[in-house]
Amino acid sequence: MSHFINNKSEQVDKSNTDDAYTLGPLQVGLPCCMPEPLIRVDNLSLHYGLKPALEDVSLDIYKGCITALIGPSGCGKTSFLSVLNRLTDLIPDCRISGNVHYDTMDLRHPALDVQRLRRDIGMIFQKPVPFPLSIRRNIELPLREHGMSKQAGLNDVVQQVLQDVGLWEEVKNRLESPALALSGGQQQRLCIARALALQPKVLLMDEPCSALDPISSGVVEDLIQRLRGKYTVVIVTHNLAQARRIANYAGFFWIKDQRAGCLIEFGQCKQIFEAPVHELTAAYVNGSRG
Amino acid sequence: MFLSRTDRQLAALLQGCALLAATIVLLILLFLIKESWPVLQHVALTRFVIDASWHPVQGLYQLTPMLSATLYSTLGAVVLATPLGIASALFSRYFAPPFIAGCYRRLIELLAGIPSVVYGFWGLITLAPLIGRLHPPGVSLLTGILVLTLMILPTVALTADAALAAVPLAYVRGAAALGLSRWGLISGVALPAARSGIIAGTLLAAGRAIGETMAVLMVVGNVVQQPQSLLDSVRTLTANIALEMAYATGVHRAALFVSGLALMVMVLVLVSTAELLSRKRHYG
């Protein structure tokens, strides 16, 4: 993945065979039984100004799996996600220490091509953010930005990703109408489609269902399930039942000493929910704390 | 609709204000028509276009040279000031470090506060001789356009800046998360989102340019003639009124009020156009 670094862009990585992959209708991928770390985080700490937000977090994100991050509000889960696609760059006086690697690439390298990285590591926000453009332009905009300009190709991708998220039948006759006129659930699926259009390897999801009604939430949850295997998903959720249903791995964050968030326990989802090691985890997943 | 007592009082107060404002505009329009009536009564509207010249005392009422002068100077100033103003807003919003952006904004606000006579004076003393070197006499349509551009630039820049500031932060984060460059964010998301605000600001600036009298009067030469080039002297409708009102009586005076009416119609057309423009393809 050294082509991410600007000054070594001529080197092409041989190990990355996924480049030939074209989006087809999504199928449920293989259950992730090959725990191969794609993102490795070591001793990550994060400060906003003088205020610590994360302290000494170390965990691995496994390729093709769904990793759920759970814990109370304000314990740094969203900050953690923002580190992984360098969205923290947008926040002035945000300081990060520790090591974060994506595949073989140092995510904190100053010369990292951030735009290229964010194409590989997409993000879905809690509140869906369709741009004030037409449905079609919403998906085309990032594609054009990343160098795809042939209209025929764009049309194909638009149809493909909208089918992938199950939105095609609902919007195929009004692709030119404003995206903001869609319902909340449709908007969120459009945002996922827009992220999928860039053929990312990783999707970071920050409470993607919490602003949606239960039915839309269920649709999006099914969609996330179907992403397993083809994409590596990291999802922050406050819905413990949801985490339990969809995740392969789970990490439990907690606010230590009233100041910084930290990772209390990380492991297989089943183990976190059924046999937590730490007493805080047990209290949280049983609903008696947090 | 149910309204509580305070809401009812507030509604009554606001209705009163709105009614007052609307009445004043209508009264001004009525007054203009009334005052220009002595001319409008006897003179066909076409005479304002086909008459040989503007000599109201001799009964010649051609307004087109002045209409064109107002139109060209406004159009020129808007065409120059809009891209400059938007560029200025983009600089302070997306490219300047916060401290510089703050200072820069204060500076633009200062520019907006300079009285128009000062702009006119500067244009006459500095700009006109410069353009005069290119082609005498220097006081010309071009000088007027440049002075007007400078005058309406802060309006465009500040309203565009405010419109861009109102673009939700979520769009900025969303665009960044999709790997969009800063220009991709600006052209693809921020400008479309800020579109109606920027159009409103440009309209406000155009209104100011149409109505500006003193500064323009000082730098355009005030010769009543159809401009053949940017370097010709011209007279705008507003300048026409200001120059002749002191000694105009009878039909002459009424003819000046027709100039005022023509200005009002121009502003009306401008407002309606802008309204249509901002309605079309609106995705807010």
Side-chain angles (χ1 to χ4, degrees):
Chain A
M1 290 261 170
S2 50
H3 60 284
F4 276 76
I5 311 288
N6 282 330
N7 51 11
K8 295 179 185 169
S9 56
E10 69 278 5
Q11 293 181 15
V12 179
D13 187 8
K14 300 281 190 298
S15 70
N16 190 355
T17 50
D18 285 358
D19 277 353
Y21 163 73
T22 48
L23 276 175
L26 283 173
Q27 294 150 4
V28 177
L30 297 168
C32 67
C33 49
M34 300 176 292
E36 174 194 344
L38 183 62
I39 299 175
R40 279 175 294 115
V41 180
D42 296 306
N43 306 107
L44 172 74
S45 293
L46 185 147
H47 288 71
Y48 295 119
L50 292 173
K51 190 181 166 292
L54 274 178
E55 220 159 68
D56 202 21
V57 173
S58 303
L59 65 86
D60 289 346
I61 306 289
Y62 294 105
K63 194 172 184 172
C65 304
I66 298 177
T67 303
L69 306 180
I70 56 173
S73 298
C75 65
K77 306 185 296 297
T78 300
S79 298
F80 179 81
L81 282 193
S82 305
V83 170
L84 301 185
N85 70 347
R86 287 274 293 264
L87 219 53
T88 43
D89 289 7
L90 295 183
I91 304 162
D93 59 80
C94 168
R95 285 182 299 116
I96 301 168
S97 63
N99 290 315
V100 187
H101 284 87
Y102 165 53
D103 212 339
T104 55
M105 178 176 63
D106 179 6
L107 273 187
R108 294 190 53 225
H109 197 292
L112 182 79
D113 181 349
V114 176
Q115 276 178 253
R116 185 72 181 76
L117 167 78
R118 289 173 185 160
R119 189 182 165 171
D120 254 36
I121 304 187
M123 190 167 195
I124 308 295
F125 298 92
Q126 175 177 15
K127 191 166 171 287
V129 276
F131 299 133
L133 308 167
S134 68
I135 294 170
R136 179 200 296 283
R137 279 280 294 159
N138 257 284
I139 298 172
E140 284 182 359
L141 181 70
L143 288 170
R144 285 178 194 276
E145 176 81 19
H146 291 288
M148 190 169 176
S149 56
K150 290 213 184 68
Q151 192 57 47
L154 287 170
N155 288 344
D156 288 348
V157 177
V158 168
Q159 177 169 358
Q160 193 62 65
V161 294
L162 285 174
Q163 282 174 342
D164 286 348
V165 300
L167 206 54
W168 178 249
E169 288 304 318
E170 291 161 60
V171 302
K172 65 179 177 188
N173 294 323
R174 49 179 177 133
L175 289 176
E176 310 305 331
S177 61
L180 291 176
L182 296 173
S183 75
Q186 288 174 324
Q187 287 188 7
Q188 193 62 294
R189 280 186 286 153
L190 175 65
C191 290
I192 296 173
R194 190 172 65 183
L196 292 183
L198 293 176
Q199 305 191 2
K201 310 281 188 292
V202 182
L203 274 180
L204 309 174
M205 300 185 147
D206 188 2
E207 300 182 51
C209 297
S210 65
L212 309 180
D213 67 84
I215 293 174
S216 305
S217 170
V219 174
V220 172
E221 189 182 311
D222 288 347
L223 177 60
I224 297 169
Q225 290 267 32
R226 299 199 305 151
L227 299 176
R228 193 200 316 271
K230 283 194 173 154
Y231 302 90
T232 303
V233 177
V234 186
I235 179 170
V236 166
T237 179
H238 283 134
N239 183 336
L240 293 180
Q242 182 181 61
R244 202 168 181 165
R245 281 193 298 271
I246 64 176
N248 305 102
Y249 290 89
F252 171 59
F253 284 72
W254 188 258
I255 308 163
K256 198 161 65 178
D257 310 328
Q258 301 290 318
R259 43 196 293 268
C262 57
L263 182 69
I264 298 291
E265 193 170 349
F266 181 81
Q268 300 246 1
C269 186
K270 200 175 163 67
Q271 175 257 312
I272 293 286
F273 279 97
E274 287 168 14
V277 175
H278 202 285
E279 60 185 46
L280 269 172
T281 317
Y284 187 78
V285 299
N286 293 328
S288 55
R289 282 291 288 275
Chain B
M1 185 170 59
F2 172 77
L3 290 174
S4 74
R5 193 158 156 259
T6 30
D7 282 349
R8 272 204 307 279
Q9 286 166 345
L10 188 65
L13 183 73
L14 295 179
Q15 274 164 9
C17 291
L19 198 67
L20 190 69
T23 315
I24 288 173
V25 174
L26 280 179
L27 281 178
I28 290 176
L29 194 63
L30 274 178
F31 178 78
L32 280 176
I33 293 171
K34 176 183 158 277
E35 291 296 322
S36 33
W37 192 244
V39 170
L40 292 178
Q41 207 173 9
H42 302 294
V43 178
L45 276 178
T46 49
R47 295 256 322 265
F48 293 102
V49 180
I50 59 166
D51 270 4
S53 62
W54 169 259
H55 286 107
V57 183
Q58 281 93 42
L60 294 171
Y61 301 107
Q62 197 199 28
L63 278 179
T64 35
M66 292 174 278
L67 264 172
S68 330
T70 295
L71 206 64
Y72 291 153
S73 57
T74 302
L75 210 68
V78 168
V79 164
L80 286 181
T82 306
L84 287 175
I86 293 175
S88 148
L90 289 177
F91 166 74
S92 74
R93 220 14 91 186
Y94 292 105
F95 293 94
F99 176 73
I100 303 221
C103 295
Y104 180 74
R105 231 165 268 148
R106 294 294 92 73
L107 215 63
I108 298 282
E109 281 164 14
L110 198 68
L111 201 61
I114 298 177
S116 65
V117 68
V118 175
Y119 279 108
F121 201 32
W122 173 81
L124 185 66
I125 300 298
T126 310
L127 204 54
L130 276 177
I131 290 168
R133 259 189 247 168
L134 201 69
H135 185 283
V139 280
S140 62
L141 180 59
L142 180 64
T143 324
I145 288 177
L146 292 179
V147 167
L148 273 181
T149 303
L150 214 58
M151 290 183 67
I152 67 172
L153 179 64
T155 311
V156 180
L158 291 173
T159 47
D161 190 62
L164 288 171
V167 171
L169 195 64
Y171 289 170
V172 179
R173 280 163 54 82
L178 288 165
L180 262 60
S181 63
R182 203 166 297 188
W183 176 244
L185 159 73
I186 290 168
S187 63
V189 183
L191 284 179
R195 189 168 164 275
S196 57
I198 292 173
I199 289 178
T202 309
L203 166 73
L204 207 67
R208 192 173 175 210
I210 287 184
E212 178 49 43
T213 311
M214 185 46 87
V216 175
L217 185 150
M218 290 166 84
V219 299
V220 292
N222 303 316
V223 182
V224 185
Q225 59 174 353
Q226 186 68 35
Q228 303 299 323
S229 88
L230 279 172
L231 297 164
D232 283 351
S233 286
V234 292
R235 182 189 288 189
T236 60
L237 282 169
T238 49
N240 189 40
I241 299 174
L243 287 165
E244 299 188 0
M245 64 185 177
Y247 58 87
T249 52
V251 276
H252 185 187
R253 184 167 169 278
L256 286 186
F257 272 104
V258 177
S259 312
L261 209 57
L263 274 172
M264 192 110 172
V265 171
M266 275 180 75
V267 173
L268 203 71
V269 171
L270 186 73
V271 171
S272 326
T273 321
E275 181 69 17
L276 277 177
L277 271 179
S278 58
R279 253 192 222 158
K280 222 173 75 185
R281 264 170 52 83
H282 182 51
Y283 288 130

